[in-house]
Amino acid sequence: IFIGSENGQVIAFNEETGEVNWQVDVDGEVLTAPATDSNYVIVHTNSGMLVALDQETGETKWTISTEVPNLTLRGNSTPVTASGGVFWGTANGRLAAAIVERGQLIWQQPVGTPKGATEIDRLVDVDSSPVVLGGTLFTIGYNGQLIAIDLRSANPIWKRNYSSANDIATDGSRIFVITEKDHVVAVDARSGTELWENSKLEYRQLTAPVIVDNYLVVGDTLGYLHW
């Protein structure tokens, strides 16, 4: 079992006994869950580093650095692996992709473009974890867009003007988004067409949505769960 910590450490536990197999320091806090692929543990730190560690020893295998603006949201995108690649959002408003085996950055796709006069206006973090459906990858950015990207070509299939720092959810045909105003939105995964919007929980600081049976469930800052 692999976890990251706010102390800039990655720790591997024995699943059966709970004993620590190894513990290593990385550059920056690890605020999101690690990903595992090809005997690597891949972590994304708040200093803009994507680090691959050996699952058995914790040895650093490769590191990719991305730009971090002076002011960012507290949080990071959880890396996702698929088809030999690793995909993650960056603090400078992009979705990045790299080859897992070599740690080679292969493309970066803009999700949001900084606009405005102040640092706060120019926040464009992509803190949402990418979602992969078949050959399409979906993600969303703060002050950015909800975007669908073809995994083979890295070209956008469609873009829609939604802004969010939360993870998105999917049932296979629809994408569910919590916007920056805490509206709950359902979008058709193929076309990006909005199917419905619920604004009754506006500004209640909702959590990322989770699908439970045929319900979409969100929590709010007051401790309530909404189905």
Side-chain angles (χ1 to χ4, degrees):
I1 297 174
F2 306 101
I3 67 167
S5 82
E6 293 180 334
N7 298 324
Q9 295 177 325
V10 181
I11 308 164
F13 295 95
N14 183 288
E15 184 180 11
E16 294 183 354
T17 66
E19 292 180 2
V20 175
N21 290 343
W22 51 259
Q23 179 173 321
V24 299
D25 294 329
V26 292
D27 182 14
E29 297 174 293
V30 183
L31 303 175
T32 56
T36 56
D37 193 291
S38 303
N39 201 41
Y40 294 144
V41 183
I42 303 171
V43 295
H44 185 200
T45 75
N46 71 339
S47 61
M49 310 293 284
L50 192 75
V51 183
L53 308 171
D54 186 282
Q55 287 190 17
E56 300 299 325
T57 65
E59 177 188 357
T60 300
K61 291 298 186 180
W62 51 257
T63 301
I64 297 173
S65 177
T66 58
E67 179 187 356
V68 178
N70 291 331
L71 185 65
T72 66
L73 299 176
R74 179 164 173 76
N76 295 115
S77 171
T78 302
V80 169
T81 59
S83 304
V86 56
F87 308 91
W88 72 104
T90 70
N92 63 353
R94 299 182 178 186
L95 180 72
I99 298 173
V100 172
E101 286 290 347
R102 301 199 297 271
Q104 177 184 353
L105 188 66
I106 50 178
W107 52 259
Q108 294 188 65
Q109 180 65 238
V111 178
T113 303
K115 298 176 184 176
T118 70
E119 294 281 359
I120 292 178
D121 291 335
R122 297 175 64 82
L123 286 171
V124 288
D125 293 52
V126 181
D127 284 351
S128 174
S129 177
V131 169
V132 177
L133 282 179
T136 307
L137 186 148
F138 302 88
T139 196
I140 193 169
Y142 185 77
N143 284 339
Q145 296 173 310
L146 175 66
I147 185 171
I149 297 173
D150 181 85
L151 279 181
R152 290 188 176 182
S153 67
N155 291 326
I157 300 171
W158 53 256
K159 297 179 180 180
R160 299 293 180 266
N161 288 325
Y162 298 108
S163 169
S164 180
N166 282 336
D167 284 349
I168 56 181
T170 181
D171 63 359
S173 63
R174 292 170 291 184
I175 303 295
F176 301 99
V177 174
I178 306 299
T179 72
E180 61 182 349
K181 294 182 179 179
D182 294 307
H183 294 187
V184 186
V185 179
V187 174
D188 183 87
R190 283 191 172 186
S191 65
T193 303
E194 183 176 302
L195 302 174
W196 54 256
E197 180 181 18
N198 185 318
S199 60
K200 294 181 179 180
L201 302 174
E202 188 171 88
Y203 297 125
R204 292 185 69 156
Q205 299 180 32
L206 301 183
T207 66
V210 175
I211 295 172
V212 180
D213 296 326
N214 288 321
Y215 293 95
L216 193 70
V217 185
V218 295
D220 69 18
T221 189
L222 299 177
Y224 289 98
L225 290 177
H226 306 270
W227 269 253

